[in-house]
Amino acid sequence: MTTHLSAPVAGSLPPAPDAKIAMGWMHTARFLTTAAQLHHLPPIDVPEIAFVGRSNAGKSTCINTLTQQKQLAFASKKPGRTQHINLFALGKQGVTDAVLADLPGYGYAAVSRSDKLRWQQVMVNYLVSRPGLTGIVLLCDPRLGLTELDEALLEAVRPRVEEGLKFLIVLTKADKLTRSEQAKVLSITRLQAGGGEVKMFSALKKQGVDEVAQLLWQWAHPVRPQGTEPAAEGGAQPLPASPQTADENTSTE
């Protein structure tokens, strides 16, 4: 089965910022909280961007590279074992203007079938019902392409995408492909994305890092219609610090 998503409803995005501005904003990322169940997540009044992908797709590496922090998102030594949703706050001077959500990796063979099904359902529930979810970043190993699980996830979020939820497919580990191979995978994935963004990404070569950071900044700072006022200065909302520490933050590739 191949999923073809319709293009998202056109939204008002601001001009892309200078790469230094976008990367500086990403660098403000800080651990907010972790939760094993959806109802344990705090309500969020700022744009929330979710990172999802199969175990070993390079999700933690991508987040750490974008935020220029080596262990913000921690990769478990046992892929697929970590079963928490981790939230990271973004914003300068301690004021949060966006949140990144790191969802557990899925599809790892060593995890029991019951655990797989349970967490796949948790993720689907999060993606289809989480208030304030602004965009989804799907991490994919370009050597494997979109798998059946990736396509099932995209199919689940199709209604929200058609309503304006933004999505980006990040093809990680691009340095393992030749330029011609990259061009071929990009072409195929763009057809599958049906209008969504697709970016090649290499943490090793820093390929695509600036471009992804700039796009996420745009998602988090939409142009407001005339006559509307942000809820707080700059549209940001202060969020309470979690009693848990960053050392407890674990996610899996």
Side-chain angles (χ1 to χ4, degrees):
M1 179 185 73
T2 299
T3 298
H4 296 273
L5 286 182
S6 299
V9 174
S12 297
L13 290 179
D18 181 83
K20 290 183 178 179
I21 293 175
M23 291 300 293
W25 175 71
M26 292 294 301
H27 188 54
T28 67
R30 53 206 178 271
F31 177 71
L32 179 62
T33 191
T34 185
Q37 301 291 337
L38 294 184
H39 62 272
H40 291 158
L41 290 174
I44 301 296
D45 295 324
V46 295
E48 189 167 331
I49 300 169
F51 282 70
V52 299
R54 286 178 58 88
S55 297
N56 294 329
K59 180 162 55 66
S60 297
T61 300
C62 179
I63 293 173
N64 290 338
T65 300
L66 286 168
T67 61
Q68 306 124 79
Q69 300 182 45
K70 293 183 178 180
Q71 291 187 325
L72 182 69
F74 180 72
S76 171
K77 292 181 180 179
K78 295 182 178 179
R81 294 293 186 182
T82 303
Q83 299 182 352
H84 287 73
I85 296 173
N86 298 301
L87 300 185
F88 307 109
L90 288 169
K92 295 183 177 180
Q93 299 177 338
V95 178
T96 298
D97 60 8
V99 166
L100 300 182
D102 181 14
L103 275 61
Y106 53 84
Y108 190 63
V111 178
S112 70
R113 178 175 174 79
S114 61
D115 283 345
K116 285 181 186 178
L117 293 175
R118 179 168 62 85
W119 262 98
Q120 285 170 19
Q121 190 60 54
V122 168
M123 283 191 291
V124 168
N125 289 343
Y126 168 91
L127 293 171
V128 302
S129 66
R130 178 69 169 163
L133 184 62
T134 298
I136 297 172
V137 180
L138 172 61
L139 286 298
C140 175
D141 186 331
R143 297 169 297 177
L144 301 176
L146 292 180
T147 67
E148 185 176 351
L149 285 174
D150 297 325
E151 291 174 351
L153 183 147
L154 291 177
E155 182 65 28
V157 301
R158 179 196 295 269
R160 293 195 75 173
V161 168
E162 292 176 345
E163 292 173 357
L165 180 71
K166 297 172 176 60
F167 75 97
L168 165 67
I169 298 175
V170 171
L171 299 169
T172 59
K173 309 177 184 180
D175 51 278
K176 297 184 182 294
L177 301 179
T178 65
R179 287 189 177 275
S180 61
E181 289 171 336
Q182 288 186 28
K184 181 178 180 180
V185 173
L186 268 175
S187 178
I188 293 172
T189 310
R190 281 172 177 157
L191 288 175
Q192 294 173 308
E197 298 276 355
V198 182
K199 301 287 186 184
M200 276 289 176
F201 188 95
S202 169
L204 181 64
K205 301 292 186 180
K206 298 299 184 287
Q207 179 181 351
V209 176
D210 288 352
E211 291 86 349
V212 171
Q214 288 171 304
L215 182 60
L216 299 187
W217 187 96
Q218 288 178 292
W219 287 4
H221 301 85
V223 174
R224 295 180 179 277
Q226 289 185 350
T228 62
E229 295 295 332
E233 183 179 354
Q237 295 285 341
L239 292 176
S242 168
Q244 292 159 308
T245 66
D247 291 338
E248 293 173 304
N249 165 35
T250 57
S251 69
T252 181
E253 296 282 12

